Amino acid sequence: MKLTAPLIYGLVACILLVSAPHADHLPLWVSAMCAVLLGWRAFITYRGRPQPNRWMLLLVTVACVAAIGATYHTFFGRDVGVTLLILLASLKLLELKAVRDATVLIYLSCFIIITNFFYSQSISTALFMLFTLIVIMATWVNLQTGTLALKPRLRMAGILLLQAIPLSLLLFVLFPRIQGPLWGMPQDAYATSGLSDKMSPGSMGKLSLSDAVAFRVTFQGSAPPRDQLYWRGPVLWDFDGTTWTRGRNATLQAPTLTDVAQPISYTITLEPHNKNWLFALDMPSQISIPAEFAPDFQLLSKDTVRARIRYNVTSQRSYRANLEEPMPQMVRAFNFPREYNPLAQKVAQQWRATSQNDEEIVRTALTYFNRGGFEYTLEPPLLGKNSVDDFLFTTKKGFCEHYASSFVFLMRAAGVPARVVTGYQGGEFNDLGGYYILRQSDAHAWAEVWFRNRGWVRFDPTAAIAPARVERGLSAALNNNSALPFLSRTQSTWLINLRFNFDSITNQWNQWVLGYDTERQFAFLTRMGMEDITWQKLATNMLAGISLLVGIFTLFLLRRLRIKTTDEVQKTWLKTCLKLEKAGFPRLPHEGGMDYATRIANVRPDLRHDVLDLATRYTSLRYGNASMKNDLAAFQNASRRFKVRRAPTSQ
Amino acid sequence: MSQSLKNVIAQTEQVILGKPHQIRLALTCLLARGHLLIEDLPGVGKTTLAHVLAKTLGLQFQRIQFTSDMLPADILGVSIFQRETGEFKFHAGPIFAQMILADEVNRATPKTQSALLEAMEEQQVTSEGETRPLPSPFFVIATQNPTNQIGTFPLPESQLDRFLMRIELGYPDAQAERGLLSGVDRRDIVANLAPQMTTAELLDLQRKVREVFVSPALLDYVQAILRHTRESAKYVHGLSPRAGLSLLAAARAWALLDDRNAVTPEDIQAVLPGVASHRLQSVQDTQASNGEKLARELIEAVAIP
């Protein structure tokens, strides 16, 4: 068959659609090269020019491969692989010779569809790829049928895809899952921004500019009030004058919680953040996945979180945390760089001198923040070498990290053990889905102070200055919130609803499609009545299911192919034709009965009488005016008696 | 088949050598009360065929040679003032005949062409507010030169549709050509032909054609053909319902010529190239002469249900 212009345009469209989303993350020259190649192909087809010659193509291919080598310095890895695939597929378009080349391109397009999911697995990507698949199918139908117009071609592609739905559902539900991300992606799989294990002035403020979702939470039972929602992340101990870091825990002793009360359970679906810590409300006591409780009550996963994970946590809202803190850890909680911030150190020593106990010092400090004319802002002025001094006595404008940092510094300088805790605060409740969304803009830093009889107690100096931050969220606490991400500051009700709707759908997608892992699969199948699930059993069921579906389809098709008419005349005639076909004379689909009989009669004079008689009877019964019952009976008799004798040997 | 019809065929075949299929198609068209368009190179016997048919069927014959300076009145006729009576008197044009040979119809301007084609469709002529019926049977054989020749106004699709069939004659085969070259002058033979059928017989045959039976199974087949032309990307547009009716009418006449009283798929296939070739246009190839090939492909593409 000839490769027609519409077919070639279809192939160009396929490659264009499957590679277009890649333009987002591949080097610019790759996209440009692809565009040039596709344009070139369309142009020579439009003008009816011949394809570029072999050497020219070879030259372009070598140049492309060299350019890939120069860009990536390697030929392994995801980005290189995708780039190679796309470029070579585009080049293949320029050497279309036979139907086989077109078939290869159609298969290639299907494969490149999959590569798009390496980068994004969102609903929009899936929908776009579905659309792309329809285009590919339509092109394939064009290749197979040749002459069908666009509309019936699209309809046929749609029907083919609809027929594939039961099979894909079956595979989706039953295909044995692999623990962890399917592709074992290298680290560049999710280059996301998120909370880090360092805190310096400005680091939290930067995060608050991002709308990205950090995690979603569903509470079992009612949720605590918003100002209690402190999602604990990395705990920072060591301060070098500017930056807080986690440092090294000086003990391996597990943390202890005593006098616990008010437990609360919830499920967190954590977006991948390429770090190993998990988030939980103060203070976590149980977790459903293998994780370590660090001595400072931080939850650490065994592996880096590279794929979206889901876990259940039980937290105690009332507690005494580590009444006995080991000495080496205590030393860390007192430690501070003495060469910086002399003014702050002096103030802290005054507080120590005038106070009865540690609690009073904390109170004094919080009052100081509350009454000292401090301002909560996203755009604090720059601080010098003595960052705490500058902030406390000169600029007095800061974001949560400034308050947490200077508060803990003051505590340590006054001889009160303290540390910085980072994480997220609050969250946005989605009515439709019944869950909380925590975004990067909810990132927060607060402090914990250790008292002899109470253990570690949480204090949030930010709340002393801007209580609205913890009660109503960031946008409520800032006077000028223009720098915030759009989603955080909008007041329009329908926009908020739309956003909740969309996030709700996304959440379902994450939970049930992307998050359909071994655990979910087993739970689902158990509910469907399957017992003792093993992967062998899954495979057996899957094969059985596929056979069943294919069987049903085959029967359906056979029924359509077989004698579907109840017309006795037609039935008898088709039986007769079958006999002749077995003897080596198949009837052409467009061949009328008399033509068929005449053709056979010319080749096989010995059959002439019989076939002509049968065809005449058939024609008059089927197309004639007066068809009588006994005519039909005679026809049926003649057909039954009719036998195709072996051809007389030519003498 | 009636004896007279057999004689008609035999006599025509004696003059037009080696073209039995085309003769049958022409007769089919006539019996189905349609008009015939013959398209071929000059000199292959288009005019002779028309002439022979008219003579053999005993029809009143008029030949109109179309030229580019022809006006509608030259075909339809004019009213001329009579000095003696002081009245206008209508002088009937050449169209008032039972069989018209419109020779080289695509040499005339579209205005003149449409005058002829409207008369064909209405079977009457309206001139100066007065409507005059044309005789019955009324049969037009138009000949057309291939449209790529110089000085032609190709008939638009809507007017091509007025013709029930379009056939091509083609060159005669070697044996027939030999007979043609060695035999008597055709013009002499035609001049001496005797009619083999009366007008009443012809009208009766035309009536019988309409009684030929068409079964539901056959209608399925016709519909499958029409559907295919509409769904396929090969054709600029599919066949119209009128084309479907024409196809059935022609197939009925073909069946009657074959002495049967029911239409079979073979009848449809036999007349399909004639009926469909001028109504189908290929997307890829605009060459008009390709219609025949398209129709063949159409037959092969549609299975008989």
Side-chain angles (χ1 to χ4, degrees):
Chain A
M1 189 205 293
K2 227 177 82 192
L3 298 174
T4 55
L7 175 67
I8 291 173
Y9 292 138
L11 289 172
V12 171
C14 290
I15 301 290
L16 180 71
L17 284 174
V18 292
S19 44
H22 283 305
D24 190 32
H25 38 252
L26 293 185
L28 192 63
W29 72 264
V30 176
S31 312
M33 189 73 206
C34 276
V36 168
L37 290 174
L38 295 179
W40 189 7
R41 174 73 251 188
F43 177 75
I44 60 174
T45 312
Y46 180 70
R47 283 289 172 86
R49 301 254 177 92
Q51 300 186 6
N53 72 39
R54 211 171 248 277
W55 295 107
M56 174 92 169
L57 275 182
L58 192 67
L59 199 73
V60 177
T61 311
V62 169
C64 282
V65 173
I68 290 172
T71 310
Y72 294 102
H73 307 292
T74 171
F75 283 101
F76 296 98
R78 180 190 58 166
D79 286 351
V80 185
V82 170
T83 311
L84 265 173
L85 254 178
I86 292 179
L87 280 177
L88 293 183
S90 308
L91 278 164
K92 180 80 195 164
L93 264 177
L94 286 162
E95 57 148 21
L96 289 175
K97 287 199 192 73
V99 174
R100 194 182 142 272
D101 297 315
T103 316
V104 164
L105 266 171
I106 283 169
Y107 292 158
L108 257 181
S109 320
C110 291
F111 187 74
I112 300 176
I113 280 191
I114 300 173
T115 63
N116 278 302
F117 291 108
F118 290 168
Y119 295 90
S120 161
Q121 295 146 15
S122 66
I123 299 177
S124 48
T125 308
L127 284 179
F128 183 67
M129 287 304 131
L130 184 68
F131 168 71
T132 308
L133 196 58
I134 292 177
V135 173
I136 294 177
M137 292 301 282
T139 311
W140 184 57
V141 171
N142 188 11
L143 178 68
Q144 295 295 320
T145 61
T147 58
L148 218 52
L150 186 62
K151 243 198 210 156
R153 204 191 306 158
L154 280 175
R155 194 171 58 218
M156 193 186 261
I159 290 172
L160 281 172
L161 281 184
L162 282 180
Q163 286 172 339
I165 284 178
L167 208 61
S168 48
L169 267 182
L170 185 85
L171 285 174
F172 176 79
V173 171
L174 287 178
F175 198 87
R177 298 298 148 124
I178 305 160
Q179 289 279 15
L182 186 55
W183 307 99
M185 269 302 146
Q187 217 149 32
D188 57 2
Y190 304 102
T192 52
S193 69
L195 214 55
S196 82
D197 54 356
K198 287 191 185 69
M199 185 182 86
S200 51
S203 62
M204 290 285 170
K206 220 178 282 167
L207 265 188
S208 70
L209 300 179
S210 162
D211 260 343
V213 174
F215 53 91
R216 295 182 176 82
V217 189
T218 314
F219 284 99
Q220 274 96 58
S222 61
R226 191 192 160 95
D227 59 1
Q228 302 279 308
L229 295 175
Y230 281 86
W231 305 97
R232 191 183 187 82
V235 180
L236 312 179
W237 294 83
D238 296 355
F239 186 49
D240 65 357
T242 335
T243 307
W244 288 86
T245 51
R246 279 160 80 195
R248 254 173 114 67
N249 277 317
T251 174
L252 291 174
Q253 196 182 317
T256 53
L257 282 176
T258 44
D259 293 344
V260 294
Q262 301 182 34
I264 182 156
S265 298
Y266 47 91
T267 306
I268 290 188
T269 310
L270 179 62
E271 299 292 315
H273 58 78
N274 276 338
K275 304 286 181 346
N276 67 334
W277 53 76
L278 308 169
F279 297 93
L281 279 183
D282 286 340
M283 290 291 190
S285 58
Q286 261 178 2
I287 182 163
S288 64
I289 57 170
E292 177 199 347
F293 283 83
D296 46 15
F297 294 94
Q298 220 195 128
L299 277 175
L300 296 174
S301 160
K302 283 171 99 176
D303 305 303
T304 306
V305 182
R306 290 218 179 97
R308 190 178 289 109
I309 56 167
R310 184 174 43 235
Y311 52 90
N312 301 316
V313 189
T314 304
S315 290
Q316 308 295 338
R317 287 172 55 206
S318 170
Y319 53 84
R320 285 174 200 275
N322 267 10
L323 282 172
E324 308 274 318
E325 189 69 30
M327 207 50 216
Q329 286 287 84
M330 221 48 174
V331 171
R332 296 178 73 208
F334 281 119
N335 200 12
F336 64 97
R338 279 158 217 280
E339 60 272 32
Y340 297 116
N341 306 316
L343 288 174
Q345 287 184 42
K346 202 178 280 171
V347 169
Q349 277 148 22
Q350 271 172 21
W351 290 349
R352 164 55 72 193
T354 56
S355 301
Q356 310 269 319
N357 53 22
D358 290 358
E359 274 96 338
E360 202 178 324
I361 293 175
V362 172
R363 263 199 305 281
T364 313
L366 289 177
T367 315
Y368 178 79
F369 278 121
N370 191 1
R371 306 247 173 95
F374 286 95
E375 194 186 318
Y376 183 64
T377 172
L378 250 182
E379 290 140 339
L382 282 176
L383 301 174
K385 197 174 67 170
N386 293 316
S387 59
V388 177
D389 275 5
D390 284 359
F391 168 64
L392 283 177
F393 307 112
T394 316
T395 68
K396 299 202 171 193
K397 287 175 180 171
F399 201 54
C400 60
E401 70 266 32
H402 298 83
Y403 293 100
S405 164
S406 46
F407 178 81
V408 174
F409 183 85
L410 284 168
M411 287 304 107
R412 288 187 179 181
V416 181
R419 63 194 182 192
V420 172
V421 183
T422 59
Y424 296 88
Q425 202 282 325
E428 186 177 36
F429 187 65
N430 187 329
D431 280 334
L432 293 147
Y435 58 89
Y436 280 84
I437 311 165
L438 274 293
R439 298 178 189 278
Q440 296 303 345
S441 52
D442 293 316
H444 193 51
W446 59 93
E448 275 181 340
V449 177
W450 188 85
F451 300 119
R452 187 162 301 281
N453 301 317
R454 295 167 64 191
W456 290 100
V457 178
R458 181 179 69 225
F459 289 99
D460 187 353
T462 311
I465 299 125
R469 164 68 184 88
V470 291
E471 281 156 16
R472 280 184 286 144
L474 188 55
S475 64
L478 290 170
N479 291 328
N480 171 15
N481 56 16
S482 57
L484 283 182
F486 178 68
L487 284 184
S488 302
R489 63 188 152 92
T490 179
Q491 299 296 319
S492 147
T493 327
W494 73 267
L495 210 62
I496 291 175
N497 276 337
L498 188 72
R499 173 172 131 220
F500 278 164
N501 268 314
F502 185 70
D503 195 84
S504 189
I505 295 168
T506 308
N507 189 41
Q508 293 296 321
W509 172 260
N510 288 343
Q511 301 282 333
W512 288 104
V513 180
L514 301 180
Y516 187 79
D517 51 10
T518 319
E519 188 193 332
R520 275 260 147 114
Q521 186 179 37
F522 280 30
F524 177 74
L525 292 177
T526 312
R527 214 180 325 147
M528 301 311 295
M530 209 162 137
E531 286 161 7
D532 312 327
I533 299 155
T534 58
W535 71 265
Q536 289 96 331
K537 213 165 174 179
L538 282 181
T540 321
N541 273 313
M542 199 168 73
L543 285 178
I546 291 171
S547 317
L548 188 71
L549 279 177
V550 172
I552 289 171
F553 270 122
T554 315
L555 279 181
F556 185 70
L557 286 180
L558 272 183
R559 243 187 55 140
R560 289 183 58 174
L561 281 180
R562 276 178 69 90
I563 306 162
K564 63 176 172 185
T565 168
T566 48
D567 187 349
E568 285 296 319
V569 177
Q570 183 72 345
K571 225 184 220 171
T572 314
W573 171 246
L574 289 175
K575 275 181 196 159
T576 316
C577 290
L578 207 63
K579 282 185 192 172
L580 284 164
E581 189 178 330
K582 278 179 188 159
F585 302 106
R587 187 175 71 91
L588 303 175
H590 67 272
E591 207 170 18
M594 290 309 291
D595 282 353
Y596 180 43
T598 315
R599 180 164 65 92
I600 294 172
N602 285 341
V603 192
R604 290 283 303 272
D606 57 313
L607 295 177
R608 165 181 281 275
H609 176 258
D610 283 350
V611 289
L612 282 179
D613 174 55
L614 282 165
T616 313
R617 283 174 191 277
Y618 164 68
T619 308
S620 72
L621 277 169
R622 185 157 164 83
Y623 299 104
N625 192 355
S627 58
M628 287 175 293
K629 270 271 181 289
N630 53 354
D631 280 356
L632 172 62
F635 176 45
Q636 282 171 328
N637 273 332
S639 164
R640 214 172 300 130
R641 275 200 309 272
F642 173 64
K643 284 209 177 65
V644 185
R645 295 173 296 272
R646 205 178 302 154
T649 46
S650 51
Q651 282 152 4
Chain B
M1 201 183 336
S2 64
Q3 189 56 45
S4 50
L5 194 52
K6 270 182 195 157
N7 292 343
V8 167
I9 294 175
Q11 184 167 315
T12 315
E13 281 179 0
Q14 270 173 16
V15 187
I16 312 288
L17 298 177
K19 299 283 169 203
H21 187 69
Q22 280 80 350
I23 291 170
R24 278 177 96 93
L25 281 175
L27 272 172
T28 301
C29 194
L30 204 151
L31 292 182
R33 309 191 337 144
H35 304 288
L36 180 67
L37 180 66
I38 306 179
E39 183 178 289
D40 222 318
L41 298 165
V44 290
K46 298 188 293 265
T47 316
T48 316
L49 175 64
H51 219 144
V52 171
L53 278 177
K55 278 267 184 183
T56 314
L57 293 168
L59 296 175
Q60 190 193 343
F61 179 73
Q62 276 287 0
R63 172 175 174 167
I64 311 173
Q65 174 65 48
F66 278 63
T67 57
S68 56
D69 56 355
M70 205 173 207
L71 292 173
D74 295 335
I75 302 171
L76 306 179
V78 282
S79 293
I80 294 172
F81 183 70
Q82 304 280 308
R83 194 181 301 169
E84 303 83 47
T85 56
E87 282 175 347
F88 281 96
K89 183 167 185 283
F90 183 72
H91 287 257
I95 199 157
F96 288 88
Q98 287 171 319
M99 180 178 275
I100 309 290
L101 173 64
D103 223 354
E104 300 189 279
V105 71
N106 59 343
R107 288 223 185 275
T109 53
K111 191 177 174 184
T112 314
Q113 286 174 1
S114 64
L116 169 76
L117 294 159
E118 278 183 49
M120 277 164 54
E121 188 70 8
E122 313 288 332
Q123 268 229 27
Q124 61 187 22
V125 169
T126 304
S127 168
E128 280 137 33
E130 217 177 310
T131 303
R132 298 181 177 82
L134 290 170
S136 180
F138 178 67
F139 185 50
V140 174
I141 297 181
T143 72
Q144 175 168 260
N145 294 327
T147 42
N148 51 12
Q149 288 207 337
I150 297 171
T152 54
F153 296 92
L155 293 174
E157 282 100 340
S158 60
Q159 308 216 325
L160 278 177
D161 206 32
R162 306 265 164 90
F163 291 97
L164 179 68
M165 281 193 186
R166 183 186 75 175
I167 62 173
E168 287 164 26
L169 286 178
Y171 296 118
D173 58 26
Q175 196 193 345
E177 191 150 33
R178 188 59 170 256
L180 204 68
L181 295 173
S182 60
V184 198
D185 190 343
R186 296 290 122 181
R187 268 171 295 185
D188 295 345
I189 307 179
V190 173
N192 296 326
L193 284 177
Q196 299 292 334
M197 191 181 267
T198 63
T199 308
E201 274 179 304
L202 182 59
L203 288 173
D204 188 50
L205 278 174
Q206 285 185 339
R207 191 183 47 74
K208 272 188 184 157
V209 163
R210 277 177 288 175
E211 288 167 3
V212 172
F213 179 73
V214 169
S215 66
L218 190 95
L219 288 180
D220 285 346
Y221 180 49
V222 172
Q223 280 190 301
I225 290 175
L226 297 180
R227 195 166 50 241
H228 179 82
T229 63
R230 290 165 196 168
E231 281 182 356
S232 169
K234 222 179 198 168
Y235 311 108
V236 178
H237 25 242
L239 289 175
S240 64
R242 193 202 302 185
L245 286 171
S246 304
L247 187 59
L248 275 180
R252 282 186 159 115
W254 184 266
L256 189 82
L257 273 179
D258 212 17
D259 215 9
R260 277 179 287 110
N261 59 0
V263 181
T264 66
E266 283 91 338
D267 298 331
I268 296 283
Q269 292 178 354
V271 298
L272 184 71
V275 174
S277 67
H278 58 298
R279 294 179 162 104
L280 285 178
Q281 204 182 333
S282 166
V283 170
Q284 286 162 16
D285 196 351
T286 47
Q287 198 86 54
S289 63
N290 235 320
E292 184 93 11
K293 200 183 110 210
L294 276 182
R296 293 262 155 245
E297 286 169 356
L298 175 58
I299 291 174
E300 278 166 26
V302 182
I304 297 175

